[in-house]
C-alpha cells in the first residue's frame, strides 16, 4: 500500500478500532508523518479544519514513534489551523505543547519559534499582560539564539495587539524596535511590512 493510500484510509477510518490499526501501520511507514504534515501545510489557508485533522493524525503517529520533533511540528500546524478557525484557547495550548516538545528534543530555537504565535492568541483571549511579557522574553531569547527576524516577529505580534486595542504609541514603539532588530539582516520584505505598519500607526496618531 502506498503512503498516500494508507494516510487517506486513515483519514476515512470509520471507527476507533480501524483507526488504531491503521495508525500502527502508519507509524511503521517511513513517509506517513511527512505526508500528513505536508498536506496539512498545503491545505491550511483554504481548509483549516481539514488541515487540523491531518495534523491530529500526525501527532498520533509521532507519539507512537516517540518523535518529539515531529510531534512538535504537528502540534504547531494544529495550532495554526485552530487559530484560523478562531479557536484561540485551543491554539494557545497547542503552541505551548509544540514548544515543550521541541525543547525536550533539544531544539531551543524551534521551541522559542513555536511560542511566537501564542502572543496573538493570548491577546485574543484577553490575556494582555501575559502576551506582553512573553513577547519581551522571546525577543531576548531569539536574539541570543541569533534569530533576529523571529525576534522582530515577536515584537510585531505585540505591536499588532496594541494596535487592535487602539494603543498606538505602544504599537509604534514595538514596530520601531522590531525594525531595529532587523537592521543588518537584509530582509527587505519584513522591513517593508513593518514600515507599512508604522505608516498605519502614524495615520492614526495624525503624524
Amino acid at each position: 500500500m502506498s503512503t498516500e493510500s494508507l494516510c487517506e484510509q486513515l483519514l476515512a477510518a470509520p471507527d476507533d478500532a480501524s483507526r488504531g490499526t491503521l495508525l500502527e501501520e502508519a507509524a511503521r511507514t517511513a513517509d506517513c508523518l511527512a505526508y500528513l504534515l505536508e498536506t496539512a501545510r498545503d491545505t491550511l489557508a483554504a481548509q483549516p479544519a481539514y488541515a487540523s485533522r491531518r495534523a491530529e493524525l500526525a501527532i498520533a503517529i509521532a507519539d507512537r514513534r516517540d518523535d518529539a520533533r515531529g510531534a512538535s511540528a504537528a502540534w504547531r500546524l494544529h495550532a495554526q489551523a485552530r487559530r484560523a478557525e478562531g479557536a484561540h484557547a485551543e491554539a494557545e495550548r497547542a503552541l505551548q505543547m509544540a514548544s515543550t516538545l521541541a525543547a525536550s528534543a533539544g531544539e531551543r530555537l524551534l521551541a522559542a519559534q513555536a511560542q511566537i504565535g501564542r502572543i496573538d492568541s493570548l491577546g485574543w483571549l484577553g490575556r494582555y499582560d501575559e502576551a506582553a511579557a512573553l513577547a519581551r522574553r522571546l525577543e531576548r531569547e531569539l536574539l541570543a539564539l541569533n534569530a533576529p527576524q523571529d525576534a522582530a516577529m515577536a515584537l510585531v505580534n505585540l505591536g499588532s495587539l496594541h494596535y487592535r486595542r487602539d494603543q498606538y504609541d505602544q504599537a509604534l514603539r514595538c514596530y520601531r524596535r522590531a525594525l531595529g532588530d532587523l537592521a543588518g539582516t537584509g530582509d527587505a520584505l519584513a522591513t517593508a511590512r513593518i514600515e507599512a505598519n508604522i505608516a498605519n500607526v502614524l495615520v492614526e496618531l495624525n503624524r
Side-chain angles (χ1 to χ4, degrees):
M1 185 185 305
S2 70
T3 296
E4 180 177 354
S5 176
L6 174 58
C7 290
E8 295 305 322
Q9 284 190 36
L10 180 56
L11 283 159
D15 51 53
D16 289 343
S18 300
R19 188 177 301 108
T21 299
L22 288 166
L23 276 172
E24 292 300 329
E25 184 175 352
R28 296 190 299 269
T29 302
D31 296 334
C32 268
L33 179 59
Y35 174 82
L36 287 168
L37 291 175
E38 180 181 355
T39 52
R41 288 189 194 97
D42 289 345
T43 56
L44 183 59
Q47 298 174 288
Y50 186 72
S52 179
R53 177 63 182 140
R54 288 175 177 266
E56 288 172 351
L57 292 173
I59 290 166
I61 292 170
D63 285 348
R64 282 166 169 75
R65 294 180 179 177
D66 291 324
D67 179 358
R69 196 178 191 282
S72 175
W75 274 109
R76 194 169 175 181
L77 278 169
H78 178 58
Q80 291 169 337
R82 298 303 290 139
R83 186 168 59 189
E85 294 181 287
H88 295 289
E90 188 176 345
E92 192 272 332
R93 289 191 296 269
L95 288 169
Q96 187 70 272
M97 181 64 76
S99 180
T100 298
L101 285 163
S104 74
E107 299 282 0
R108 292 178 59 207
L109 178 57
L110 286 176
Q113 288 170 331
Q115 296 265 359
I116 295 173
R118 288 187 62 224
I119 299 165
D120 183 64
S121 290
L122 287 169
W124 284 111
L125 292 169
R127 294 158 61 182
Y128 305 116
D129 290 343
E130 285 182 67
L134 177 60
R136 290 190 290 268
R137 176 173 64 80
L138 286 176
E139 185 201 16
R140 292 192 300 271
E141 289 183 7
L142 289 161
L143 288 175
L145 291 167
N146 195 31
Q149 288 147 309
D150 292 314
M153 181 56 64
L155 290 174
V156 167
N157 281 8
L158 180 58
S160 297
L161 170 57
H162 285 308
Y163 186 88
R164 290 200 304 268
R165 301 181 72 199
D166 299 332
Q167 297 172 333
Y168 301 120
D169 286 324
Q170 295 96 316
L172 186 60
R173 285 195 291 272
C174 288
Y175 293 145
R176 284 177 169 167
R177 187 178 179 98
L179 275 184
D181 288 345
L182 281 178
T185 65
D187 191 335
L189 181 58
T191 297
R193 286 174 175 166
I194 295 172
E195 288 174 342
N197 288 347
I198 290 173
N200 289 336
V201 172
L202 292 175
V203 169
E204 298 293 347
L205 290 170
N206 296 315
R207 295 184 190 173

